[in-house]
Amino acid sequence: MISIVIPVYNVSKYLRACLDSVINQTYRDLEIICINDGSTDDSFEILKEYAVKDKRIIIIDKKNAGVSAARNDGIEKSRGEYIFCIDSDDYIDNDFIEVFYHNAEKNNSDLVVLSTFWNLDKRVNKDYHSALPTCSMFIRKSILDSYKYLRYPLNVQPGEDGIFSHELLMYTKNVSFEYNTNYHYVKRAGQDSKRAVKEPKILLEAIPKWFELLEDFYTKYNFWESKSLSFAKYIEGEAFLAFRTKNFNEEDERKIFNIIKNTLNKTLKYIDKNDYNKYFSKEFIIFIESNTIKEYYSRIRYKYNYIRFTIFNKDVSIRYKENRYKYYKNDNL
């Protein structure tokens, strides 16, 4: 049996498409755990309607506690050999679970990663791992049963899935990749990923939480010496990516720069400088070698920035090259 976990919060406009894609899977041996996280729209009524039609649907109704707590409730309730979490405003191809299960069985996988978008197969290899989105992970449930502390962190958004996946990957021995089926990610207003674009200041609160959680994890389970390269790759792929792509003002950009540098320096103690070119991008190496944001931009000069707007109900991004050095060239810091 495969367990499908679906956190649900005020998504009545999208929920039927999600549930239809799950109950119509070609792989039939499923339990479908839907966690109604205190919805105030018609989502709970839709769940009850579908539960009458399909006895595989299990509903957990609770007060709102956030998506991490909802996913954790689903993990605790699940009884399947593998577990997959889908967001309730998205949907999947009808053969999605069947394709993933056959991949897992063929490769004896602890984790199968969906790699049809975002080049996720480049985030995990024999030398290191960074982070994965929730919607990409088909997980052997026994790992989550054996390590009860592998759960989604509470009160951390965005980026909760990056923390969970980074810690999970410490314990997965066999990871395989799948390219032949699709997860359909539906963009909508109010998503945390979209909030981070429009309100990058929320990352000033989120990134220190990411680092605090991972630093505690690395210390508690003694991973600093053996896995610091993975931590550095996490920083490059998550926090540094936010630093160089989000439209921060100068004050906030300085803060983010210093926050990242502080944690990054802890990981670099265990990484050979001769390996930088092997593992890191040129821009990240310059970041590593720069002591101040002025020094960084004196070498980089430009970054790509974005003008984002909505037209005819479609999100549009226009990328342009911005001279960032001009903001810092008179810095005496």
Side-chain angles (χ1 to χ4, degrees):
M1 185 171 65
I2 309 299
S3 300
I4 311 295
V5 173
I6 311 176
V8 176
Y9 178 70
N10 289 354
V11 286
S12 57
K13 181 178 177 181
Y14 309 91
L15 184 54
R16 293 181 187 277
C18 175
L19 293 173
D20 285 339
S21 76
V22 172
I23 65 175
N24 290 317
Q25 287 294 299
T26 56
Y27 190 92
R28 305 301 297 169
D29 191 8
L30 306 175
E31 62 171 5
I32 304 165
I33 304 171
C34 300
I35 305 93
N36 181 49
D37 190 29
S39 295
T40 57
D41 65 359
D42 294 332
S43 294
F44 187 41
E45 297 305 314
I46 294 172
L47 289 178
K48 290 189 288 186
E49 172 194 329
Y50 272 74
V52 171
K53 294 192 297 183
D54 194 317
K55 300 305 181 184
R56 297 173 298 173
I57 293 177
I58 301 164
I59 301 175
I60 299 173
D61 186 33
K62 56 178 292 189
K63 292 182 179 180
N64 179 257
V67 68
S68 288
R71 289 181 185 138
N72 291 342
D73 289 341
I75 291 171
E76 297 304 322
K77 183 76 172 178
S78 63
R79 298 173 294 116
E81 181 184 359
Y82 287 89
I83 185 169
F84 179 76
C85 296
I86 177 174
D87 288 342
S88 51
D89 47 2
D90 300 333
Y91 60 97
I92 52 180
D93 283 357
N94 284 354
D95 65 350
F96 190 94
I97 297 301
E98 183 174 8
V99 168
F100 267 79
Y101 181 67
H102 288 328
N103 186 313
E105 290 293 287
K106 177 182 177 181
N107 295 292
N108 190 28
S109 300
D110 297 323
L111 177 69
V112 184
V113 178
L114 177 66
S115 298
T116 51
F117 51 56
W118 298 336
N119 295 318
L120 296 180
D121 49 2
K122 292 181 173 59
R123 298 190 187 185
V124 184
N125 61 41
K126 62 181 180 63
D127 293 328
Y128 64 80
H129 64 266
S130 55
L132 300 167
T134 292
C135 60
S136 71
M137 296 185 289
F138 190 78
I139 307 166
R140 191 189 298 274
K141 178 62 170 20
S142 60
I143 295 176
L144 300 177
D145 291 336
S146 298
Y147 303 98
K148 295 290 187 181
Y149 50 85
L150 293 178
R151 296 295 186 268
Y152 284 88
L154 304 180
N155 304 315
V156 179
Q157 280 183 288
E160 78 288 343
D161 51 353
I163 300 296
F164 170 75
S165 62
H166 189 81
E167 294 181 357
L168 171 68
L169 284 161
M170 296 292 191
Y171 301 95
T172 52
K173 295 179 180 178
N174 297 325
V175 178
S176 57
F177 301 93
E178 183 53 58
Y179 305 88
N180 297 313
T181 190
N182 296 289
Y183 183 102
H184 300 273
Y185 177 70
V186 178
K187 294 182 179 181
R188 63 179 179 87
Q191 289 173 315
D192 287 312
S193 58
K194 296 190 74 172
R195 283 187 60 218
V197 170
K198 295 180 179 180
E199 308 168 46
K201 191 176 282 287
I202 66 173
L203 291 167
L204 275 175
E205 298 180 7
I207 290 175
K209 290 181 181 179
W210 301 350
F211 290 165
E212 180 182 0
L213 287 166
L214 286 181
E215 286 184 41
D216 288 347
F217 177 82
Y218 270 65
T219 299
K220 185 173 182 179
Y221 300 106
N222 197 29
F223 283 123
W224 280 108
E225 189 168 351
S226 62
K227 295 291 186 178
S228 277
L229 177 59
S230 290
F231 203 157
K233 289 299 294 183
Y234 170 89
I235 293 171
E236 181 180 23
E238 301 296 309
F240 178 67
L241 180 64
F243 167 80
R244 69 184 182 86
T245 60
K246 299 298 185 287
N247 293 10
F248 295 107
N249 61 40
E250 300 97 272
E251 181 182 357
D252 290 347
E253 192 173 43
R254 278 194 188 91
K255 290 177 181 178
I256 292 290
F257 179 92
N258 292 328
I259 289 167
I260 295 173
K261 288 289 290 187
N262 182 55
T263 295
L264 180 60
N265 287 338
K266 297 175 185 178
T267 73
L268 295 176
K269 296 176 183 178
Y270 304 98
I271 302 171
D272 191 330
K273 290 183 179 180
N274 294 323
D275 289 335
Y276 285 3
N277 287 322
K278 179 179 178 181
Y279 295 120
F280 302 134
S281 66
K282 290 181 180 179
E283 189 170 340
F284 191 57
I285 293 172
I286 292 173
F287 185 91
I288 290 171
E289 295 173 344
S290 300
N291 293 315
T292 65
I293 195 167
K294 177 182 178 179
E295 183 181 354
Y296 173 75
Y297 277 122
S298 71
R299 298 175 64 181
I300 292 294
R301 291 282 173 172
Y302 297 91
K303 68 177 275 189
Y304 284 106
N305 230 328
Y306 298 84
I307 298 173
R308 295 179 169 94
F309 55 93
T310 302
I311 185 169
F312 301 123
N313 294 320
K314 289 188 176 182
D315 292 330
V316 178
S317 293
I318 298 176
R319 189 172 77 161
Y320 65 97
K321 207 172 183 180
E322 181 186 23
N323 180 356
R324 294 297 292 182
Y325 180 63
K326 68 183 180 182
Y327 298 114
Y328 304 103
K329 63 182 179 181
N330 296 321
D331 267 11
N332 293 317
L333 300 178

